[in-house]
Amino acid sequence: MTEHHHDDPLADALRELAAAGERGSAPAPAPLVTARGERVRRRRFAVLAASAVLLCGGMGGAVAAGIGGSEEQVSPADTRDPAPAPSSGDPAPDPTDSIAPSSSPSTTEPPESSGPPGSSDFPTAPDSSGATSGSGDPDPTTAPPTTGTQGATSPPYRGAVTSSPPPTSTDGPD
Amino acid sequence: MGSTSLTAEEFEEFYAHAVRRLTGQLYVMLGDLQEAQDVVQEAFVKAWSRRGRLVKEASPEAWIRTVAWRLAVRRWHGRRRSELAWQRHGGAPPEGAPDPGSVVLVEALKGLSPQQRRTVALHYICDLSVEQIAVETGLSTGTVKTHLSRGRAALADRLQDPRTQEAHGD
């Protein structure tokens, strides 16, 4: 649906101007245009591929960080349980240090705890629970560590192994 | 034309068939032949990199014209910024001598707004109806009619009044 303007002087003048532009134009050869277009197309594909790689890499990194972060969140939560003793002062060696003070109330039995301090905590936990209950301490804080060590054996065990491998390995069979 | 994408031969044939006509149309819209050549060629480069899309268009020539117009508008914005920068630094870039044969009409066209020039060129050179212009430009038919009537009145006023011609010819 086109409109023609045959008797319109303005349309004639504009057409003459357009024709002058057509005559005066020197268009680039078609192969040059297609070659430039091909370069543009390849560049666009390269940008798309690079952005896709970055996106996938970023998502994978985020997933890996999320998995690693969740594990790290679990282990401190378990180590905090035996760590109620602030007397140690050092948060890093929590498992061993915190157990040593917990065993210190039961200093009534120094010979057993003196040998393997770190490792003896977990195996002797049931014993110490009995000792604490026997000592008459109604502290609820002492009871959860013993049950916690029994229930969640693997996370504290891993922590104990990492903190002091030789004693745990020797005490494990005991 | 192929069903999915243009081959190189088909594209080159289309280019040879349409490039001069499109350059003439853009020349009327822009008032600068070199600028018209540049944006039309750039639009064809984009068209080659999007051949699949070009095939789906009902009128590939209209697609290239629209792309060339948008490129020209973008260049205007950039040029305006550079002109302001030149003015701030005290000098202006030298302009090329205009074609004396069409200087009056070109100057008269430059007195219109860009959308009026585009509408007038689409109507009088591309022979598009008001509805077709509205589809291509994205304007409403009422706005297209307004641009056409005002553009035509302004051109008639400037082209028929010798004093206006002298003023613009200077």
Side-chain angles (χ1 to χ4, degrees):
Chain A
M1 201 172 121
T2 57
E3 292 193 356
H4 299 280
H5 314 274
H6 292 294
D7 298 330
D8 193 345
L10 177 61
D12 291 341
L14 289 170
R15 280 209 188 90
E16 283 180 12
L17 183 64
E22 288 183 34
R23 285 192 303 271
S25 69
L32 194 70
V33 173
T34 54
R36 278 192 61 202
E38 194 61 30
R39 279 202 300 272
V40 169
R41 195 174 67 90
R42 284 178 187 165
R43 200 177 307 144
R44 184 157 21 101
F45 282 151
V47 168
L48 277 174
S51 57
V53 166
L54 285 175
L55 186 67
C56 292
M59 288 176 65
V63 168
I67 291 171
S70 64
E71 281 188 353
E72 287 179 358
Q73 284 173 359
V74 168
S75 57
D78 290 335
T79 53
R80 278 176 198 164
D81 290 338
S87 61
S88 62
D90 290 335
D94 276 341
T96 58
D97 292 340
S98 63
I99 289 163
S102 67
S103 62
S104 65
S106 64
T107 51
T108 55
E109 299 171 354
E112 292 180 356
S113 63
S114 63
S119 63
S120 65
D121 295 336
F122 298 107
T124 57
D127 299 334
S128 66
S129 67
T132 51
S133 62
S135 65
D137 261 341
D139 288 344
T141 56
T142 54
T146 57
T147 56
T149 51
Q150 282 180 351
T153 52
S154 56
Y157 185 68
R158 266 173 39 186
V161 166
T162 53
S163 61
S164 58
T168 52
S169 61
T170 55
D171 292 334
D174 291 339
Chain B
M1 290 185 185
S3 59
T4 56
S5 179
L6 287 175
T7 64
E9 290 78 15
E10 288 170 341
F11 184 84
E12 288 178 6
E13 185 183 350
F14 169 59
Y15 175 82
H17 179 69
V19 64
R20 286 184 182 272
R21 185 168 54 247
L22 284 166
T23 304
Q25 294 167 3
L26 265 293
Y27 174 47
V28 174
M29 293 183 195
L30 306 178
D32 187 336
L33 184 57
Q34 189 62 46
E35 182 83 1
Q37 276 185 257
D38 287 350
V39 293
V40 167
Q41 183 174 330
E42 204 67 29
F44 270 104
V45 168
K46 282 181 179 287
W48 172 260
S49 64
R50 294 175 170 84
R51 298 191 301 279
R53 190 186 203 178
L54 191 67
V55 168
K56 293 175 188 170
E57 293 290 327
S59 173
E61 207 166 312
W63 187 87
I64 293 200
R65 191 165 52 225
T66 304
V67 171
W69 170 261
R70 286 177 184 162
L71 287 169
V73 169
R74 200 176 302 166
R75 286 186 176 197
W76 274 335
H77 292 308
R79 199 179 306 134
R80 191 178 302 167
R81 270 184 243 117
S82 65
E83 282 176 0
L84 288 174
W86 274 106
Q87 287 174 2
R88 278 198 299 271
H89 292 285
E95 292 185 357
D99 180 17
S102 55
V103 66
V104 175
L105 183 54
V106 168
E107 288 300 318
L109 282 167
K110 283 183 179 175
L112 306 182
S113 72
Q115 283 295 353
Q116 284 177 353
R117 275 203 304 271
R118 188 185 186 192
T119 308
V120 165
L122 289 174
H123 187 64
Y124 290 108
I125 297 173
C126 306
D127 292 327
L128 297 186
S129 66
V130 171
E131 289 78 15
Q132 288 172 323
I133 295 172
V135 168
E136 183 164 332
T137 59
L139 302 172
S140 66
T141 54
T143 308
V144 171
K145 286 177 185 174
T146 303
H147 282 323
L148 274 178
S149 64
R150 287 183 183 172
R152 184 180 174 85
L155 283 177
D157 184 39
R158 291 178 189 188
L159 291 175
Q160 288 175 0
D161 189 354
R163 290 169 299 178
T164 309
Q165 287 184 11
E166 285 176 7
H168 283 278
D170 292 339

